[in-house]
Amino acid sequence: AGTKLGSPHAAIKFSASYPTGANQVIAIFGALSVGGNDADGTQGPSGVSCTFSYDPVNDTVSLQDHNGSWLGQSAVGSGSDLSTSDQNPQDRCTIHTATSTSWKSPGRAQAAPMTYVVDLPLDLSLPTSQSSKYHIYTWVQDLNNNLTTPQYSGYWWNIN
C-alpha cells in the first residue's frame, strides 16, 4: 500500500553531517518531536515520541523507550522491528529495520557515504493516538564522544 501524506507509517530519511567528515561519526541520533517550531525547529526537540540511535560502523539501530532505556540493537535491512513498550498500541513508535536502508544495507548497491553526510532512511510507524506533526531532528556523536546540536529538517503530519 505504501506511504501517503498524513499516514502514521512513513519512510523518513535522517541525514547527519559533521564538519571533519562522516568517518568521525560514531553514532547518529534522531528524534521525532511533537514540540518545535514548524519553520525553523526552535523549541524542539520536546515532547519526543520516537528517539533512536544508529551505529554506522555496525549498521544497527536502537530505539529509546519512553522510560529512557535503550532497546536492543537491530540490523538495518535485515533485523527485527523495534517498538516502544507503551501499553496502548496506538502510542507506540516502531522502527521496521528489515525494510529500512542505509548506504551499507545488504542487497543494495554499495556507494560510499558522502564525505560530510551520513544518510539513514528509516521505515517507521508513528503513534496514532493523536493527530500531530512530528518534527524531525538529528545530531551526531563523534569519536571523542562530543554531541552536536540537534539539526531540524522539517516535519511529518500524522493525521488520524
Side-chain angles (χ1 to χ4, degrees):
T3 301
K4 62 182 181 179
L5 181 61
S7 171
H9 188 187
I12 298 176
K13 181 177 171 181
F14 292 88
S15 296
S17 63
Y18 195 71
T20 58
N23 63 342
Q24 299 297 303
V25 174
I26 62 168
I28 296 173
F29 294 91
L32 293 165
S33 166
V34 174
N37 179 290
D38 293 350
D40 62 10
T42 55
Q43 301 175 342
S46 63
V48 174
S49 292
C50 194
T51 302
F52 73 89
S53 69
Y54 171 66
D55 174 348
V57 174
N58 296 303
D59 204 24
T60 57
V61 176
S62 294
L63 180 65
Q64 190 174 40
D65 210 353
H66 292 152
N67 65 11
S69 62
W70 287 96
L71 304 174
Q73 293 185 333
S74 187
V76 174
S78 63
S80 301
D81 287 356
L82 296 172
S83 292
T84 55
S85 62
D86 301 274
Q87 187 169 1
N88 181 352
Q90 294 180 330
D91 291 334
R92 292 185 187 141
C93 174
T94 301
I95 299 176
H96 307 284
T97 56
T99 52
S100 296
T101 60
S102 75
W103 66 273
K104 293 176 70 170
S105 294
R108 185 168 178 205
Q110 295 298 300
M114 298 157 80
T115 305
Y116 299 105
V117 178
V118 177
D119 289 330
L120 178 67
L122 290 180
D123 182 7
L124 300 167
S125 291
L126 304 171
T128 59
S129 56
Q130 62 181 359
S131 293
S132 190
K133 289 180 187 173
Y134 288 96
H135 298 84
I136 303 164
Y137 295 87
T138 54
W139 61 100
V140 302
Q141 182 177 8
D142 70 13
L143 292 169
N144 295 316
N145 291 318
N146 298 311
L147 295 171
T148 62
T149 302
Q151 299 298 306
Y152 175 66
S153 59
Y155 59 86
W156 179 259
W157 262 114
N158 180 31
I159 301 171
N160 293 333

